[in-house]
Amino acid sequence: MPTLAEDLLLLLLDDDSGKLITDGTSTDHALAGAVLVDLVTAGRVAEEGGKLHVMDTAALDEPVLEAGLARLTEKAPAKPQRAVEALTKHVRETVLEALTGRGLVKQEKDKVLGLFPRKTWPAIDSAHEDSVRAELTAALVGGQQPSERAGTLIALLHAIGVVPKVVEGDKKALKARAKEISEGDWVGVAVKKAVQAIQAAVTAAVVVASSSGSSGS
């Protein structure tokens, strides 16, 4: 089964164009949060005294999680927001490599205006993504109780405000239901803290970008 970050990125990539449906900063922070949740769930990372500590550095079978564990080992102990920020480094590239290796997406190269190189990752096999999206739709639109994995994905998508771009339906109702799931008992403490860290890290990144733009003008 793909990692949580892989499922998340499949949902954040347009199947036909292979482009992200949201900005890169939000994408990378959400992927970092997904990696963090998987590492906590696997018992490799745990919180003690408000900081995240690496509990086990043994090799992992998943390249995405292996890279994340190595990154956290360098930075730990670290507060959740700092951990998410550290995990953003190369996370998208690592997840894309994993998805390509599974035969779910393919890399295509072209040039914008015939000048600027661009890479996109359109879908090859969308069956798995379709099943994931169907489960999210059942929870968000159909009112069903989500599985822990589906609830986690919804919380991560809600953290960066893209639920209406991933699931079809009334935007206001989707956002309200996603908020309910994110704050409910469907997701664990680790997920809630990861979501808070994602939101804080994205906000900080936006502020830094805005400040840089203002100082340069």
Side-chain angles (χ1 to χ4, degrees):
M1 177 182 289
T3 63
L4 197 63
E6 289 171 66
D7 278 353
L8 184 63
L9 188 53
L10 284 175
L11 296 168
L12 295 177
L13 285 171
D14 181 88
D15 286 351
D16 297 323
S17 70
K19 299 176 184 177
L20 291 173
I21 63 172
T22 187
D23 65 276
T25 297
S26 296
T27 297
D28 291 347
H29 284 85
L31 292 175
V35 171
L36 179 58
V37 170
D38 266 345
L39 289 174
V40 171
T41 302
R44 298 308 185 92
V45 176
E47 182 187 11
E48 293 180 2
K51 291 187 177 182
L52 295 170
H53 297 254
V54 174
M55 312 303 289
D56 184 354
T57 59
L60 288 156
D61 292 333
E62 297 291 349
V64 172
L65 300 185
E66 182 73 24
L69 185 62
R71 183 72 57 191
L72 280 187
T73 300
E74 294 175 357
K75 303 294 182 180
K79 292 183 178 180
Q81 181 181 338
R82 177 58 180 151
V84 166
E85 290 170 346
L87 286 169
T88 60
K89 189 172 183 180
H90 303 308
V91 66
R92 200 188 322 167
E93 294 92 329
T94 304
V95 177
L96 284 168
E97 286 177 7
L99 291 175
T100 302
R102 292 186 192 277
L104 298 177
V105 301
K106 62 180 178 180
Q107 183 189 100
E108 292 187 348
K109 298 180 181 180
D110 62 2
K111 291 186 178 180
V112 180
L113 301 176
L115 296 172
F116 308 104
R118 176 178 62 184
K119 296 178 182 178
T120 56
W121 286 266
I124 297 177
D125 182 354
S126 61
H128 174 72
E129 179 190 350
D130 290 345
S131 67
V132 173
R133 196 186 306 271
E135 188 174 0
L136 301 191
T137 300
L140 290 165
V141 181
Q144 294 185 19
Q145 179 172 324
S147 65
E148 183 177 351
R149 187 179 182 85
T152 300
L153 283 169
I154 289 169
L156 293 169
L157 292 167
H158 178 64
I160 56 173
V162 296
V163 169
K165 292 184 179 181
V166 173
V167 173
E168 292 184 359
D170 179 78
K171 289 184 179 181
K172 186 175 181 180
L174 285 170
K175 290 179 180 179
R177 176 61 172 159
K179 184 175 186 291
E180 177 188 359
I181 291 173
S182 299
E183 297 175 351
D185 295 332
W186 293 287
V187 296
V189 175
V191 174
K192 292 179 181 178
K193 290 190 175 181
V195 166
Q196 292 170 355
I198 291 166
Q199 292 170 329
V202 169
T203 299
V206 170
V207 170
V208 170
S210 299
S211 300
S212 298
S214 298
S215 62
S217 59

